[in-house]
Amino acid sequence: MSEASARDFFDLLKPRVMSLVIFTAFVGLYLAPGDIHPFIAGVAVLCIAVGAGASGALNMWYDADIDAVMTRTAKRPIPDGRVTGGEALGFGLILSVFSVITLGLLVNWAASALLAFTIFFYAVVYTMWLKRMTPQNIVIGGAAGAFPPMIGWVAVTGSISIESVVLFLIIFLWTPPHFWALALFKLRDYGDAGVPMMPNVKGEASTKTQMFWYAVATAIVGVSPYFLGFAGPVYAAVSLLLGAEFIRHAYKVWTMPEDDRVMVPAKKLFGYSLIYLFAIFALFLIDDWAMRAFTAFAA
């Protein structure tokens, strides 16, 4: 019998990451045109969350060696000795199969197939291949974290549309400045672990420049739902302000002195990027509710 507690296995799921996955998946599902029974909607979001957690467990199983080296990850369940590698692997595989099959049987197989691809992409393409081979690891691998709102959309509609692609692109373009900000002030950690993050391979100056332009692209795509017709003026105004602030933080990092080892601008960008992503997706809900209220009042 395993000596690991339920909390130890829960930690394998990367609960903080899972919370963002749940929220973005729910927004994608909510915005999708068409009707879905509340119970089926709940099942869909639960399956996406469990699939994301399964990916996290498989990631921790494979990355246990480098997690033990890095201060940020040394207390994760496997390097900390609370869960064995075999337990994490079995746990991740069981949850992967459960989430994919359940989503297919109770919701639809298109969403199930996309969830299966997402788990494979994160666990195999990113974790086992890209992460240790190329400084573009987080750029390409970031697609895995961008799929949840698209899966939520497909759970309702059974198909991919331009709206779901935009939701995907917001997260996809947001990922490099978010994680490279972390890589800048955790440069030594990644170097000790032998992970070729962009600052370690291409240098800080190149990384900062790329972060700025990714932030600009994120802000532009972040406003685009208004022009594509699936968000209203409240969304347009607030997303524009949020994007401008994201660009401002990225510019502060871009102009940060090379000899700055405290890297306060990078730390601020990392923190703000989390606020930005949550706020943008929350804004979709707020804007929709505001439009409904205005329509009801006008009627």
Side-chain angles (χ1 to χ4, degrees):
M1 294 292 292
S2 172
E3 295 183 4
S5 67
R7 175 69 194 191
D8 296 330
F9 282 102
F10 181 70
D11 288 343
L12 284 175
L13 304 179
K14 295 188 176 181
R16 285 184 294 181
V17 175
M18 189 193 293
S19 64
L20 196 57
V21 166
I22 292 171
F23 183 58
T24 58
F26 170 76
V27 172
L29 186 147
Y30 179 87
L31 293 177
D35 296 322
I36 184 171
H37 191 280
F39 174 77
I40 300 300
V43 169
V45 173
L46 176 62
C47 287
I48 296 168
V50 172
S55 299
L58 294 172
N59 171 269
M60 287 197 195
W61 160 71
Y62 192 81
D63 278 352
D65 57 335
I66 61 176
D67 282 351
V69 175
M70 300 173 64
T71 57
R72 184 175 65 90
T73 56
K75 291 298 181 181
R76 283 179 173 176
I78 300 175
D80 200 37
R82 292 179 281 134
V83 177
T84 68
E87 289 170 339
L89 174 61
F91 186 58
L93 291 174
I94 290 170
L95 291 185
S96 297
V97 173
F98 169 80
S99 61
V100 169
I101 296 298
T102 303
L103 189 61
L105 290 174
L106 296 184
V107 184
N108 66 61
W109 289 105
S112 173
L114 191 54
L115 178 61
F117 176 76
T118 302
I119 296 170
F120 173 81
F121 194 90
Y122 185 76
V124 178
V125 177
Y126 169 67
T127 300
M128 298 182 185
W129 178 38
L130 294 172
K131 186 171 184 178
R132 306 188 191 213
M133 288 189 64
T134 171
Q136 293 292 330
N137 48 20
I138 204 65
V139 177
I140 305 169
F147 277 121
M150 183 180 282
I151 302 172
W153 185 283
V154 175
V156 177
T157 66
S159 62
I160 294 171
S161 66
I162 184 62
E163 295 90 347
S164 64
V165 171
V166 169
L167 297 177
F168 170 91
L169 285 175
I170 291 172
I171 303 176
F172 181 75
L173 294 169
W174 164 90
T175 301
H178 170 71
F179 278 102
W180 285 342
L182 176 67
L184 281 172
F185 61 84
K186 290 291 185 180
L187 193 65
R188 183 173 177 179
D189 257 10
Y190 285 108
D192 290 344
V195 178
M197 292 297 282
M198 190 63 72
N200 302 75
V201 178
K202 298 296 183 180
E204 294 181 28
S206 174
T207 304
K208 293 173 188 175
T209 301
Q210 292 184 64
M211 288 169 66
F212 176 77
W213 290 112
Y214 268 110
V216 171
T218 303
I220 292 172
V221 175
V223 178
S224 68
Y226 171 73
F227 298 99
L228 291 172
F230 68 102
V234 172
Y235 177 91
V238 181
S239 65
L240 187 64
L241 295 175
L242 290 168
E245 184 67 3
F246 195 18
I247 293 171
R248 188 184 74 84
H249 277 286
Y251 181 76
K252 289 285 188 181
V253 174
W254 194 13
T255 57
M256 189 170 61
E258 287 291 319
D259 59 351
D260 185 347
R261 295 298 91 194
V262 179
M263 297 192 179
V264 171
K267 293 174 182 177
K268 287 185 176 181
L269 173 59
F270 179 75
Y272 177 77
S273 65
L274 291 169
I275 295 171
Y276 172 84
L277 191 64
F278 176 82
I280 282 291
F281 276 83
L283 195 53
F284 279 112
L285 303 178
I286 294 169
D287 179 76
D288 182 73
W289 297 335
M291 291 289 288
R292 289 173 185 267
F294 177 77
T295 301
F297 178 77

